[in-house]
Amino acid sequence: MPRIRSSSSGSGYEDLSSLAGSVAPGSLLSQVRGVRDPGDELEMTASTAGVVPDDTFTVDQAVNAIGFGRFQVRLSLITGLCWMADSMEMMILSILSPAVQCTWRISEWRQAFITTVVFLGMMLSSPFWGKFSDKYGRKTTLVLSGSFLFFYGFLSAFAPTYVWLLLLRGLVGFCVGAIPQAVTLYAEYLPVKQRGKCVILLEQCFWALGACMEVLLALFVMPTLGWKWLLGLSSLPLLLFTLICPWLPESARFHAASGQSERALSTLKRMADDNGKPMLLGRLIVDDVSTVRRGALRDLLVPELRTTTLLLWFIWWASAFCYYGIVLMTTELFELSEEDLCSAPQGWEGAEVCQASCKPLQQEDYIDLLWTTLAEFPGIFFTLLIIEKFGRKKTMATEFFIYTLAILTLFFCVKSRAVLTVTLFVCRGMIAGMFQAAYVYTPEVYPTTLRSIGVGSCSGFARLGAMLTPLIAQVLIYRSPFASVIVYAFVAMTAGLACLLLPIETRGRPLQSSLSTAEFQ
């Protein structure tokens, strides 16, 4: 679930930067219907007002005129590889922690902190990478972060002690915080008509593909070579991305906004040549987006938005908490399923699992883990199928309630491996789809000047949920799996009710540019 973040860019793409940094696999899905969302910051500019002279054009106008073609296809493969590598680094958390616990005989608390430190690094790095990208460009950010991410990821395979592993995984998390710039760069070269669908396909499909590839790699590596080899091999996609980065173009919008018009024109001409389309004639200008007022965090809590904002913060927190909870808990349940889960006192009645009895995952476990990971694909399609028919609020609530009912089946002493796998499959699919619906609803409900900060603040609460969930999925589960199930069921059910309590339904509602409309009253 592949991971949302806020950017201070003045390029007019703050919304895409915010949507790209999410903790959960389901990023940038607000573009399903609001494909003009990234351009909303330009609503008050000269070009969108139709007063730009005939002999001038903007980057947006050039991209829309040239259209979608071979240039974007190549770009999607390169940036998709980066996003897939990000997903692999997230998915490995569910495999690494139990393996390290068995190897070094560490406590459940230390095991959980291996996961938490990655999300902590991501949270701390978000402001840094956002400002770095605004100053030095998307490509520079991706090359630098990708190189360090490969270095620290590969170096993790040689960690001699638990402390060294924590340090290196924290640095991995810090570098992962820059990966969403790949989606931002990709979106800045997409025509407005294709932007929504292409961003969805890139973010969701490559994220799910990366998660599945990580499980397949673990299936062949873990039984024979162990987790250190898995860490090393999992970093290779980042090495490949770094090697092919010389082809990756810098954002033409960044070049234009930073006064490098010739470089921006050169990239646009290259795109036109690759797509077999003529280049616009005239002089390239930069939209005056600096005149658009951008909101502050306190603006999200004005009377018109206070209820919506508070409910969304909780919904996003619950989404990440439940998503990464089911990802981490899957491997733990497969370990416990080798015992009689319903008997006392081996865990179900509160006794700790003896470290000496730790059992590594077997081939059957990895196959079942692959099946549960594949659930993200039908989860995406299920959401796309019902979101326009039932609306955003009811879609999110429905998926939370299905997640609740599915996870509650684990309360009834599931001894069948097939039933356990199907249950986890449904939970994973529903919560991945819920994330998708949240990405659609959140940018739609906020006006243009608050959209970026609104999505960014929700992303922050999602990361808090991701940081806390290891305490339940990897610590509490060994003391009482019943209690763990109840916690996730309660959080999901409460979040579902919060979805229904949202005061605004955005289906069929135009994107708002200010708070002056009656729909916010």
Side-chain angles (χ1 to χ4, degrees), residues 413-454:
C413 299
V414 176
K415 294 183 180 181
S416 170
R417 184 57 173 260
V419 173
L420 176 62
T421 302
V422 171
T423 298
L424 296 173
F425 182 93
V426 174
C427 290
R428 181 80 174 262
M430 287 300 100
I431 198 61
M434 212 305 301
F435 247 129
Q436 175 180 349
Y439 276 114
V440 174
Y441 178 85
T442 305
E444 290 178 341
V445 80
Y446 287 113
T448 297
T449 53
L450 294 177
R451 192 166 296 127
S452 178
I453 189 67

Side-chain angles (χ1 to χ4, degrees), residues 160-209:
T161 64
Y162 172 78
V163 174
W164 271 105
L165 182 63
L166 280 185
L167 174 63
L168 292 171
R169 298 313 293 175
L171 291 171
V172 165
F174 189 91
C175 296
V176 166
I179 297 301
Q181 295 298 331
V183 181
T184 304
L185 174 62
Y186 177 58
E188 290 177 343
Y189 280 110
L190 291 174
V192 68
K193 291 183 178 180
Q194 286 83 24
R195 186 174 294 151
K197 293 180 180 179
C198 289
V199 167
I200 292 172
L201 291 175
L202 175 81
E203 201 274 348
Q204 288 295 322
C205 292
F206 276 98
W207 179 275
L209 182 61

Side-chain angles (χ1 to χ4, degrees), residues 199-276:
V199 167
I200 292 172
L201 291 175
L202 175 81
E203 201 274 348
Q204 288 295 322
C205 292
F206 276 98
W207 179 275
L209 182 61
C212 292
M213 287 188 61
E214 184 63 37
V215 178
L216 282 173
L217 183 62
L219 174 64
F220 293 103
V221 172
M222 287 295 291
T224 55
L225 299 176
W227 60 268
K228 291 192 174 184
W229 276 87
L230 181 65
L231 281 174
L233 294 174
S234 297
S235 65
L236 293 182
L238 286 163
L239 176 62
L240 178 60
F241 170 76
T242 304
L243 293 176
I244 62 178
C245 265
W247 186 91
L248 189 69
E250 181 54 272
S251 167
R253 171 170 282 276
F254 168 77
H255 277 154
S258 58
Q260 304 177 65
S261 298
E262 290 300 321
R263 300 184 69 177
L265 275 173
S266 176
T267 305
L268 292 173
K269 290 177 181 178
R270 172 185 170 188
M271 180 171 66
D273 292 340
D274 286 350
N275 291 355

